[in-house]
Amino acid sequence: FFPHVSDEVAYLFQAKAMAQGALSFPAPDPAGSFVFIHTMVEHGRWFGIMNPGWPALLALGEAMRAPWLINPLLGALALWLFNGFFREAGFTSRTRRLALLLLAVSPFLLFMNGTFMAHPANLALFGAFCWSWARLLRTESRRDAVLAGLALGVNLLALVGITAGADVINPVNAIVVGLIAGAIVVGAVMALDKIKIDDPVGAISVH
């Protein structure tokens, strides 16, 4: 498996650094001969500008010298999660099997599972949200509420919190931005609930 687009190259670049216990590499010399799109050199360090969450997952595969394995595993996990959602939502066995079959043979899913892009992780997180949300409607348990919120929050908050400044924020600052954004979202959700504004998936708070 080889990266085909610049995003994949940057993801793998950051994953290699994280697998070595770092967030960046020493700046190359001359930097102009080595730095590529979605990476930058600052204060003698060479780092990628992508959100650190997905490269951190890829780093697990990089540590095993098999980063290509992460997305196929996430694709399989997504099928399992959506099966749980379909079952919890009350779909018939026949409908559930057909839906899973169509998802499993989806050209987009198969293609993305063969890349180093973050889409399979997003799909798995969305499947986790759907299953937890469906369970929450039945059980009204705090655990399901937390799981649903975490799954959706990681998917949306990571995108919204860092996207605007992705070209100028380094990985350490990205983590700081994420923590601050997370605190703001939690506070906003609680405030909206208190004044009885309906925002069931936290979309207003995230944005």
Side-chain angles (χ1 to χ4, degrees):
F1 283 72
F2 296 95
H4 292 88
V5 299
S6 57
D7 293 45
E8 293 179 275
V9 176
Y11 284 140
L12 278 178
F13 174 81
Q14 291 177 235
K16 289 179 184 294
M18 291 181 176
Q20 298 175 27
L23 291 174
S24 62
F25 292 104
D29 185 29
S33 299
F34 295 93
V35 174
F36 51 90
I37 188 171
H38 300 321
T39 69
M40 60 191 301
V41 170
E42 187 174 298
H43 303 301
R45 302 300 298 180
W46 185 20
F47 54 87
I49 65 170
M50 298 301 197
N51 298 338
W54 174 237
L57 272 178
L58 277 181
L60 298 177
E62 189 68 42
M64 300 183 293
R65 299 188 178 183
W68 55 267
L69 189 59
I70 299 299
N71 270 341
L73 290 176
L74 287 171
L77 176 62
L79 289 174
W80 179 75
L81 290 167
F82 276 103
N83 181 58
F85 165 61
F86 296 148
R87 189 186 302 274
E88 187 65 38
F91 291 104
T92 64
S93 178
R94 181 179 180 182
T95 301
R96 188 170 67 249
R97 287 197 298 268
L98 178 60
L100 289 172
L101 175 63
L102 291 174
L103 179 59
V105 300
S106 163
F108 186 75
L109 178 64
L110 294 174
F111 175 78
M112 297 311 299
N113 283 345
T115 72
F116 295 105
M117 299 293 282
H119 299 65
N122 296 137
L123 180 65
L125 284 168
F126 186 65
F129 163 73
C130 290
W131 191 1
S132 300
W133 182 258
R135 281 179 52 85
L136 176 62
L137 296 177
R138 177 176 58 84
T139 65
E140 298 185 356
S141 74
R142 181 170 297 181
R143 185 196 67 173
D144 291 323
V146 170
L147 289 175
L150 283 174
L152 190 65
V154 169
N155 245 350
L156 294 180
L157 181 61
L159 293 174
V160 177
I162 198 67
T163 297
D167 62 327
V168 294
I169 297 177
N170 64 38
V172 174
N173 290 336
I175 294 173
V176 174
V177 170
L179 292 173
I180 295 173
I184 292 173
V185 167
V186 171
V189 168
M190 295 173 65
L192 290 175
D193 285 345
K194 189 172 183 178
I195 61 178
K196 301 187 183 304
I197 292 180
D198 187 23
D199 184 25
V201 298
I204 296 175
S205 303
V206 165
H207 287 84

